[in-house]
């Protein structure tokens, strides 16, 4: 059933008072997209592959095999050499590298969750934009139909000599403006739906809502901000990078310790055959100091980057919050204005009783439509800001 405009204002006033618990979270749509998206499936597989590669970092190097056949003179004969050896690092190196691998895997999971969040945030914002188109199309249809009725009425009056050509032309122009804008937003809606369909593995998704249900902004912003920063993917990625660099530094310090080579050697001649175990020690003396120094510098750089990321995230979220507050006030003002100062019924009566002419009537109708469009635009922008502010909940 098509709601009259006054009823719509009553509903909007109720849902934009910022006391309701409902919200356009589109959770069922986002779950469907997460299950069907080939992009997210590729990211999941890449995450598994990255962690599998990380696990190979602590594997032993392959054993070294050597063989030799040396010719001697006729009196001593030939000699056959054979050796096999395996190099081992100091045990603490494997322990520290295992911790490094665990941190690398945690970072891989964090990267995937960040990419997933950004993907679902984009999908949610597409849903919000589609809702905006739905709401505006709903209003435009009423304005378009009214404008066409008025144009048809003025045409009859013009044909009967009861209206001027200016009135007739103005009525036709008004109808064309509403018709074209109606088609424009229909096309925009179809484009947004096509993009959402692509994100859903080319499966259709329906978004039929026409009313914005706004989530109240947090009253204690600072407490909320700290919790959001600590869960923000950019901050978590920077924190993970710092821990990775710190663990890599510990690995490099332990790599200063000697490496052990254990193997088997055989030497065989015409008369004699020697065989047994060989053990060797190698000390990474030449490059260990420089490697440790480089890793220490990387830790310092990662720590500075973490501080910068935290401050940038705080600034970004605070700006989003302030913008959302302003939009919340704007939406409330529009709602109150339409609730108390709607001239649409008065305009029709004034035109019917000849208190205003058709040009004034059309100008007022277009002005009222522009205000409704601005209200919906503000509501759309508010929901976009709130979606980004609460993206960690996706």
């Amino acid at each position: 059933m098509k709601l009259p405009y006054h009823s719509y204002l009553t509903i909007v006033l109720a849902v934009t008072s910022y006391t309701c618990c409902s919200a356009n979270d589109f959770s069922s749509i986002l779950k469907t997209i997460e299950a069907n998206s080939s992009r997210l499936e590729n990211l999941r597989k890449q995450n598994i592959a990255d962690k599998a590669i990380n696990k190979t970092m602590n594997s032993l190097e392959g054993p070294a095999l050597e063989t030799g056949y040396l010719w001697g003179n006729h009196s001593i004969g030939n000699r056959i050499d054979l050796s096999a050896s395996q190099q081992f690092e100091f045990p603490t190196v494997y322990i520290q590298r295992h911790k490094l691998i665990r941190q690398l895997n945690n970072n891989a999971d964090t990267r995937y969750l960040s990419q997933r969040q950004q993907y679902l945030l984009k999908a949610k914002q597409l849903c919000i934009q589609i809702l905006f188109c739905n709401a505006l199309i709903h209003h435009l249809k009423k304005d378009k139909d009214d404008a066409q009725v008025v144009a048809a009425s003025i045409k009859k009056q013009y044909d009967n000599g009861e209206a001027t050509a200016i009135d007739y032309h103005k009525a036709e122009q008004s109808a064309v403006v509403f018709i074209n804008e109606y088609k424009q937003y229909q096309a925009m809606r179809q484009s947004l739906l096509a993009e959402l369909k692509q994100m859903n593995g080319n499966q259709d998704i329906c978004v039929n809502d026409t009313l914005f249900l706004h989530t109240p902004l947090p009253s204690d912003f600072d407490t909320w901000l700290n919790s959001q920063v600590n869960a923000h993917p950019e901050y978590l990625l920077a924190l993970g990078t710092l821990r990775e660099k710190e663990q890599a530094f510990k690995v490099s310090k332990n790599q200063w310790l000697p490496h052990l080579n254990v193997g088997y050697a055989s030497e065989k001649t015409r008369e004699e055959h020697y065989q047994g175990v060989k053990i060797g020690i190698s000390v990474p003396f030449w490059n260990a100091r420089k490697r440790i120094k480089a890793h220490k510098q990387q830790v310092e750089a990662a720590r500075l980057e973490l501080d910068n990321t935290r401050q940038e995230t705080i600034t970004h979220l605070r700006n989003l919050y302030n913008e959302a507050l302003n939009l919340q006030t704007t939406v409330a003002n529009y709602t109150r204005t339409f609730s108390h100062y709607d001239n649409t019924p008065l305009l029709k009566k004034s035109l019917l009783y000849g208190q205003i002419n058709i040009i004034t009537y059309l100008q007022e109708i277009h002005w009222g439509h522009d205000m409704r469009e601005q209200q919906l635009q503000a509501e759309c922008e508010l929901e976009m800001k709130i979606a980004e502010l609460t993206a960690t909940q996706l």
Side-chain angles (χ1 to χ4, degrees):
M1 182 177 68
K2 184 176 178 181
L3 293 173
Y5 183 63
H6 178 72
S7 298
Y8 169 78
L9 286 176
T10 304
I11 294 174
V12 171
L13 181 61
V15 301
T16 56
S17 61
Y18 306 100
T19 59
C20 61
C21 298
S22 301
N24 301 114
D25 59 359
F26 308 104
S27 56
S28 60
I29 291 177
L30 297 183
K31 288 179 181 177
T32 300
I33 290 175
E34 185 170 9
N36 296 333
S37 170
S38 59
R39 172 63 177 165
L40 289 180
E41 178 64 20
N42 290 338
L43 290 175
R44 284 190 288 267
K45 290 181 178 179
Q46 184 62 52
N47 179 46
I48 294 172
D50 289 343
K51 291 193 288 187
I53 292 174
N54 291 338
K55 291 180 180 179
T56 65
M57 292 173 57
N58 221 16
S59 301
L60 291 174
E61 296 291 338
L65 301 175
E66 294 183 10
T67 184
Y69 186 83
L70 287 76
W71 292 274
N73 57 40
H74 181 70
S75 61
I76 62 174
N78 301 329
R79 191 179 81 183
I80 299 175
D81 292 341
L82 177 65
S83 68
S85 64
Q86 176 68 59
Q87 185 181 71
F88 299 91
E89 294 180 283
F90 204 79
T92 55
V93 175
Y94 295 103
I95 295 173
Q96 296 299 333
R97 191 181 287 126
H98 176 73
K99 294 179 180 179
L100 174 60
I101 291 171
R102 187 166 56 191
Q103 184 58 53
L104 287 170
N105 288 343
N106 289 339
N107 290 353
D109 287 337
T110 302
R111 278 193 298 273
Y112 165 72
L113 291 175
S114 175
Q115 292 166 326
R116 169 190 170 277
Q117 178 182 303
Q118 291 302 312
Y119 194 83
L120 293 181
L121 175 60
K122 179 182 178 182
K124 184 173 182 178
Q125 290 180 328
L126 280 174
C127 291
I128 292 170
Q129 291 173 296
I130 293 170
L131 192 157
F132 165 71
C133 289
N134 290 346
L136 196 54
I137 288 170
H138 173 79
H139 290 299
L140 278 168
K141 185 177 188 311
K142 180 180 182 302
D143 290 334
K144 173 181 70 69
D145 293 345
D146 288 346
Q148 288 178 309
V149 169
V150 170
S153 175
I154 296 299
K155 184 179 185 305
K156 289 182 180 179
Q157 295 179 26
Y158 174 71
D159 292 340
N160 295 331
E162 299 173 356
T164 66
I166 293 177
D167 291 341
Y168 169 56
H169 295 164
K170 194 66 178 180
E172 290 292 336
Q173 291 170 0
S174 177
V176 168
V177 168
F178 282 121
I179 290 171
N180 288 342
E181 191 171 357
Y182 179 78
K183 291 180 178 179
Q184 174 189 343
Y185 280 101
Q186 278 190 319
M188 183 184 298
R189 179 179 184 275
Q190 290 304 315
S191 177
L192 293 170
L193 282 171
E195 189 172 355
L196 197 62
K197 176 181 177 180
Q198 185 275 324
M199 296 184 72
N200 191 41
N202 286 323
Q203 297 186 32
D204 289 326
I205 287 184
C206 294
V207 181
N208 297 319
D209 294 345
T210 58
L211 297 177
F212 285 104
L213 306 178
H214 301 297
T215 304
L217 293 172
S219 56
D220 187 354
F221 175 74
D222 290 331
T223 301
W224 174 87
L225 179 63
N226 288 330
S227 66
Q228 291 299 308
V229 171
N230 293 335
H232 197 278
E234 294 298 326
Y235 174 76
L236 291 177
L237 285 171
L239 179 61
T241 299
L242 173 60
R243 290 174 176 170
E244 175 190 333
K245 299 303 180 185
E246 289 174 337
Q247 193 57 44
F249 176 58
K250 293 179 182 179
V251 172
S252 66
K253 286 197 299 183
N254 281 271
Q255 285 177 328
W256 177 275
L257 299 171
H259 298 173
L260 181 66
N261 287 280
V262 178
Y264 165 83
S266 171
E267 182 181 309
K268 186 176 182 180
T269 65
R270 179 190 300 175
E271 303 293 338
E272 299 173 331
H273 181 199
Y274 299 95
Q275 59 181 337
V277 176
K278 66 175 185 177
I279 300 175
I281 293 178
S282 62
V283 181
F285 178 77
W286 303 113
N287 63 350
R289 187 186 303 275
K290 293 181 180 178
R291 184 171 60 246
I292 292 173
K293 183 179 180 180
H295 279 108
K296 185 177 181 180
Q297 291 173 338
Q298 288 181 338
V299 170
E300 293 172 355
R303 187 172 288 113
L304 290 173
E305 181 61 25
L306 177 63
D307 292 339
N308 289 335
T309 300
R310 183 176 181 83
Q311 291 304 316
E312 289 173 358
T313 303
I314 289 174
T315 300
H316 178 63
L317 291 176
R318 190 179 295 277
N319 289 340
L320 277 176
Y321 180 81
N322 289 334
E323 291 170 3
L325 274 180
N326 291 333
L327 286 167
Q328 183 175 267
T329 302
T330 299
V331 170
N333 289 338
Y334 275 123
T335 302
R336 183 174 58 255
T337 298
F338 278 119
S339 176
H340 295 93
Y341 308 109
D342 180 22
N343 285 331
T344 304
L346 298 177
L347 286 172
K348 290 183 177 180
K349 290 181 180 179
S350 297
L351 180 64
L352 179 63
Y353 291 108
Q355 295 174 341
I356 59 174
N357 58 32
I358 186 61
I359 294 179
T360 301
Y361 172 79
L362 294 174
Q363 288 174 340
E364 291 296 323
I365 290 296
H366 279 278
W367 183 79
H369 165 72
D370 289 342
M371 282 198 65
R372 290 197 297 272
E373 185 170 346
Q374 290 173 22
Q375 177 194 10
L376 289 173
Q377 185 67 52
E379 291 191 77
C380 179
E381 291 178 9
L382 174 59
E383 279 303 299
M384 297 282 277
K385 301 293 183 185
I386 293 176
E388 189 172 354
L389 280 168
T390 59
T392 56
Q393 300 172 15
L394 295 175

